[in-house]
Amino acid sequence: MENLRERITDLLIKEGLLTSQQLEELALRQQKEGVKFSSILVEKKFLKKELLSEFISINLKLNRIDAAQIAELKITPDLLGLISHQIAHQYHIMPLVQKERGLALGIDDPLTLLDLNEIKELEEYNINPVIVPEPELLKLIENNYLKAQGQTESKPQTLEEILGGIAEISGRTTEDINLSELAHITQEVPIIKATNLILEKAVESKASDILIEPLEALTRIRFRIDGILHQIDTLPKSFHTFIISRIKVLSNLDIAEHRLPQDGQFKIKSKSREVDFRVSVFPSTNGEKVAIRLLDKSLGLLDIDKLGIREESVERLKKAAVMPYGMILLCGPTGSGKTTTLYSLLKYIHTPEKNIVTVEDPVEYQLKGINQVSVNPKVGLLFNRCLRSILRQDPNIIMIGEIRDFETVDIAIKAALTGHLVLSTLHTTAAAGSIVRLVDMGVQPFLINASLICIIAQRLARRICIRCKEKVPEQPYFRGRGCKECLNTGYSGRVLIPEILYMSPEIKEAVLSETLDEIRIKKISRSQGMKTLREEGDALAQQGIITEEEVLRVTPAD
């Protein structure tokens, strides 16, 4: 086999990314400890993993294959005989096509090429590496080797069954395992399969969040589904570090750091759907806790007509969105769907003639034709600094992910007063309360009246599962009986409950009064047709979309 490692290391030295001395140090350590060359190279932080992978891929001009090309492959028993099942699993490699002494070899990471010299079965072949996405590569390995052994694809395993394959590491603690071993264990198939199972289960359950929490004697896995946390599984505490480390590897985080919080992200394709995962790792007394936010782009319809709102309320939203300038504020607690509503409004008003710029923390959905900026506190790129620059970019519409301080709201109001349409969010509980909050932040009442178009307070309520929906005896309401499809909860999906307050002349007069009164503003708005959160929720309950219990749970009393 052509020495791929020598080719790559020569390129690294030639480009000044690695010195000869560093190379000798790595080779000696590999010989001494018997671990992967690539693992040591990344661990020593001579090069970042993603930079190294990209360097190898570009300089060797590696080919990639997609799902359609994978489906056309014909993996024969002769091909599988070239490499053992164990080696294929250990190194994440798969023989794809053989012609005389040439072998097309599927790999999921260009770093694998640094370790092929150690595989004796490949010594006599000229290797042509082909990049295969990790999920597809693992499936190819599993399905083809099981088939060759006369087995059919096994039924989905539980976490306990999967992790039983590496029982030799259970009982070992972080202190017992050095960094090279930890990096190696995160590449073990059972750890990869267990982590993938957790992620795939969350996607299938339409979960918005995954929590992996170390308790005193075990690790608890919970999913937030339709806004409610459900315990899904538990793990022996001894596997906690390895699952967390695998998630760190996926997120390009430091597996050696256990004392400080870390944030990262990654994306996977699950059944042809692209899902983004935002990862937050936080140290606790029992170990590192991981919270993962799922952004399933196939679920994010971003259509104002499909948010589940009553038709009358949809028309009120559209009326506000088409105003040429001014400010629209959305308010509600964390997790109430404010960002989704903002995106839906942007999609509704977006045309090629409009220059739309967003400032977000972070950017959650990529919208075609719209300029999106993600704030970066580490380099001082905050909302207020972004806004100052954006105003020089000739925008028609500006979306601000969140108003957190006076400086940001001051720039936003000035933008609204100078001919821009500004959309943003504010952390308050009700529409009328947002006006009081703006005054508390230091905004002059006359500026609120001059700039503000409307305020939308909102909540998310769980929708009744349509598969087990039934009428409540002797009542005008419906409920979900509970079935397998809705995890016996009676609910599936969520709908938006909005409270839309327009800045009418009467409300503007109330804002200018010496004693600013939230109750008075709310009373005027209701007299002019505004439906409160509770009233909107009751209307949805009477239509059989949500339960009366949900209305009482998520909306404040009037």
Side-chain angles (χ1 to χ4, degrees), residues 349-376:
I349 60 181
H350 173 54
T351 63
E353 294 79 26
K354 292 175 182 173
N355 178 14
I356 301 177
V357 185
T358 76
V359 188
E360 305 168 64
D361 183 19
V363 172
E364 294 194 9
Y365 294 97
Q366 294 287 344
L367 298 177
K368 289 183 180 179
I370 291 178
N371 305 289
Q372 296 174 267
V373 180
S374 185
V375 300
N376 187 348

Side-chain angles (χ1 to χ4, degrees), residues 359 382-392 398-400 403 407-409 411-412 415 422:
V359 188
L382 303 177
F383 281 110
N384 49 23
R385 189 169 180 181
C386 282
L387 282 172
R388 288 194 202 96
S389 297
I390 284 170
L391 289 173
R392 294 191 287 270
I398 303 169
M399 187 191 99
I400 307 166
I403 289 176
E407 193 174 359
T408 303
V409 74
I411 299 170
V422 179

